[in-house]
């Protein structure tokens, strides 16, 4: 009898163990099903910018779209809106902050309206070539600076490149600093660029880029400053006669996503976006560098008169701009920036 009871107990224990295993297996299967369902959920992400689709940032954003959609198996769709379809640079950034736009790419100085330190890379004559600028933008210092945008619902994924900013004019060439005096010049809402222009004697005023060409045509401005690829791709040469290759400010462009969306994504999807952002960044940088080197000739052929002023004179004239912003950025950040760029 005892043996029978022992056998029955062992059978009951085995049955309980089998049921437990089945329940555990079912739980694992249910978890896998839930994870699979999570992975196939579809999300459409809007990406807006102010320039046209053939501009380097447009072509890079197209690559970003292709990479994300391919590597997510179509679960994540990137909806691209060029030419200011979703608003000006300022409106796009405000849209990201207020959860109305998912992503944008714009000059670092435009973000500095909210997080002041983002404008640091625009200091006049900080870099002499693209390689040194890219090294700085990929540094740990800039990663720390980027974090100052997060309280404004913005996460930086990578850094596109807009090139080195140059001056164009309607009525007179710029060959020396004295030629800048009194120019009514359009700038982005970038305090460093505006201070640089003021220091050179011009009268800067921010104005939406997607409305700039019409403003130049209507005579609201007799000058503007932008990188060479922008000047050519946006056909600003149709409204401006002279190009002065001043290279007065390097224009980095953060590719950003709203933090509320970023936080809602799974780790795998975040990595897909990050990987695509780096690939897009690398394409954009190479396009900008190539176009900067080759488009001066195209602008000449389009009818512009090209001048190459003595940049040392311009650099000397604007040397005090960094000191002006030392109180804004703090002596510690300025010291780190100098160390990183020397």
């Amino acid at each position: 009898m005892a043996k029978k009871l022992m056998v029955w107990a062992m059978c009951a224990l085995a049955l309980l163990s089998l049921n437990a295993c089945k329940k555990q297996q079912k739980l694992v299967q249910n978890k896998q099903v839930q994870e699979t369902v999570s992975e196939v959920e579809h999300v459409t992400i809007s990406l807006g910018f102010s320039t046209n689709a053939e501009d380097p940032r447009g072509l890079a954003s197209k690559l970003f779209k292709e990479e994300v959609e391919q590597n997510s198996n179509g679960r994540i769709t990137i909806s691209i809106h060029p030419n200011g379809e979703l608003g000006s640079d300022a409106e796009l950034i405000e849209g990201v902050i207020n959860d109305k736009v998912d992503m944008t790419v714009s000059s670092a100085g435009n973000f500095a309206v909210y997080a002041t330190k983002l404008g640091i890379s625009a200091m006049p004559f900080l870099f002499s070539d693209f390689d040194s600028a890219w090294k700085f933008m990929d540094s740990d210092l800039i990663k720390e600076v980027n974090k100052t945008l997060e309280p404004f619902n913005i996460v930086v994924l990578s850094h596109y490149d807009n090139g080195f900013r140059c001056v164009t004019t309607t009525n007179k060439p710029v060959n020396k600093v004295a030629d800048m005096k009194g120019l009514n010049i359009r700038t982005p809402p970038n305090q460093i660029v505006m201070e640089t222009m003021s220091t050179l004697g011009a009268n800067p005023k921010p104005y939406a880029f997607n409305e700039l060409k019409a403003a130049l045509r209507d005579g609201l401005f007799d000058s503007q400053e932008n990188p060479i690829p922008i000047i050519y791709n946006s056909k600003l040469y149709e409204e401006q006669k002279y190009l002065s290759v001043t290279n007065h400010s390097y224009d980095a462009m953060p590719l950003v996503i709203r933090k509320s969306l970023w936080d809602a994504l799974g780790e795998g999807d975040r990595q897909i976006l990050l990987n695509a952002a780096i690939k897009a960044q690398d394409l954009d940088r190479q396009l900008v560098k190539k176009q900067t080197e080759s488009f001066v000739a195209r602008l000449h052929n389009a009818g512009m008169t090209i001048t190459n002023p003595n940049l040392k004179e311009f650099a000397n004239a604007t040397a005090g701009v960094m000191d002006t912003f030392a109180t804004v950025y703090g002596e510690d950040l300025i010291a780190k920036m100098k160390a990183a760029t020397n």
Side-chain angles (χ1 to χ4, degrees):
M1 184 69 178
K3 281 186 177 181
K4 286 183 180 180
L5 288 172
M6 185 176 293
V7 170
W8 289 342
M10 291 177 66
C11 287
L13 185 61
L15 185 61
L16 287 170
S17 178
L18 179 62
N19 288 335
C21 287
K22 285 183 177 179
K23 286 182 180 179
Q24 181 66 27
Q25 185 179 17
K26 191 173 181 180
L27 286 171
V28 170
Q29 287 174 340
N30 286 341
K31 184 178 180 182
Q32 288 173 340
V33 168
Q34 288 172 357
E35 288 175 351
T36 303
V37 169
S38 176
E39 286 178 356
V40 298
E41 288 179 356
H42 183 267
V43 60
T44 298
I45 297 176
S46 61
L47 169 55
F49 46 89
S50 60
T51 52
N52 62 53
E54 300 307 311
D55 180 77
R57 82 182 80 174
L59 296 175
S61 296
K62 181 182 177 184
L63 175 63
F64 176 77
K65 170 184 171 71
E66 292 169 353
E67 287 288 322
V68 170
E69 293 178 358
Q70 178 181 338
N71 292 314
S72 68
N73 295 317
R75 291 183 300 102
I76 306 174
T77 299
I78 305 297
S79 178
I80 295 179
H81 301 272
N83 296 312
E85 288 177 7
L86 301 181
S88 65
D89 286 287
E91 290 168 338
L92 284 164
I93 293 171
E94 186 176 341
V96 173
I97 292 171
N98 296 324
D99 287 328
K100 294 179 180 179
V101 177
D102 297 322
M103 295 184 67
T104 191
V105 54
S106 185
S107 296
N110 293 335
F111 293 96
V113 173
Y114 302 95
T116 309
K117 294 177 181 179
L118 260 290
I120 196 167
S121 58
M123 285 289 181
F125 302 98
L126 190 61
F127 310 106
S128 58
D129 55 47
F130 283 103
D131 289 338
S132 59
W134 296 340
K135 182 179 179 181
F136 181 73
M137 294 311 302
D138 295 338
S139 69
D140 290 338
L141 175 60
I142 291 299
K143 289 176 184 176
E144 289 301 312
V145 167
N146 287 342
K147 290 178 182 178
T148 63
L149 272 175
E150 293 185 10
F152 298 95
N153 195 36
I154 297 174
V155 172
V156 177
L157 299 184
S158 67
H159 292 99
Y160 283 19
D161 190 306
N162 210 22
F164 289 88
R165 304 184 76 88
C166 297
V167 173
T168 69
T169 50
T170 306
N171 301 314
K172 67 175 184 178
V174 172
N175 291 301
K176 53 187 183 298
V177 170
D179 295 329
M180 294 288 296
K181 186 174 178 59
L183 282 180
N184 184 24
I185 189 167
R186 178 270 173 190
T187 70
N190 182 324
Q191 293 298 321
I192 292 178
V193 171
M194 293 177 69
E195 181 65 24
T196 299
M197 292 297 102
S198 294
T199 302
L200 291 170
N203 301 317
K205 181 180 178 182
Y207 201 80
F209 178 80
N210 55 320
E211 300 174 8
L212 173 58
K213 195 172 181 183
L216 292 170
R217 186 184 308 122
D218 294 341
L220 269 66
F221 299 95
D222 50 29
S223 180
Q224 69 86 46
E225 50 83 60
N226 257 303
I228 287 168
I230 294 288
I231 294 167
Y232 182 81
N233 290 321
S234 299
K235 298 183 179 180
L236 296 181
Y237 55 82
E238 294 179 346
E239 312 301 334
Q240 298 277 268
K241 184 176 180 181
Y242 302 97
L243 164 66
S244 179
V245 185
T246 52
N247 292 342
H248 54 269
S249 178
Y250 173 71
D251 204 6
M253 291 196 301
L255 173 66
V256 306
I257 187 170
R258 60 183 175 90
K259 190 174 185 297
S260 53
L261 172 59
W262 181 252
D263 290 344
L265 296 172
E267 186 61 34
D269 288 344
R270 289 186 192 177
Q271 197 59 52
I272 287 172
L273 291 172
L274 280 172
N275 291 343
I278 295 300
K279 285 190 176 181
Q281 165 193 280
D282 293 344
L283 174 62
D284 177 88
R285 287 178 174 182
Q286 293 307 317
L287 286 172
V288 168
K289 183 178 181 180
K290 182 178 180 181
Q291 291 184 6
T292 298
E293 293 168 350
S294 63
F295 279 12
V296 172
R298 292 193 186 187
L299 289 168
H300 175 75
N301 293 336
M304 292 196 87
T305 298
I306 315 296
T307 64
N308 292 278
N310 183 343
L311 297 189
K312 187 174 181 180
E313 181 196 5
F314 279 72
N316 289 339
T318 56
V321 172
M322 188 177 294
D323 295 332
T324 300
F325 283 88
T327 54
V328 176
Y329 294 130
E331 296 291 347
D332 181 58
L333 180 59
I334 293 293
K336 288 179 179 178
M337 183 195 70
K338 288 179 178 179
T341 55
N342 286 337

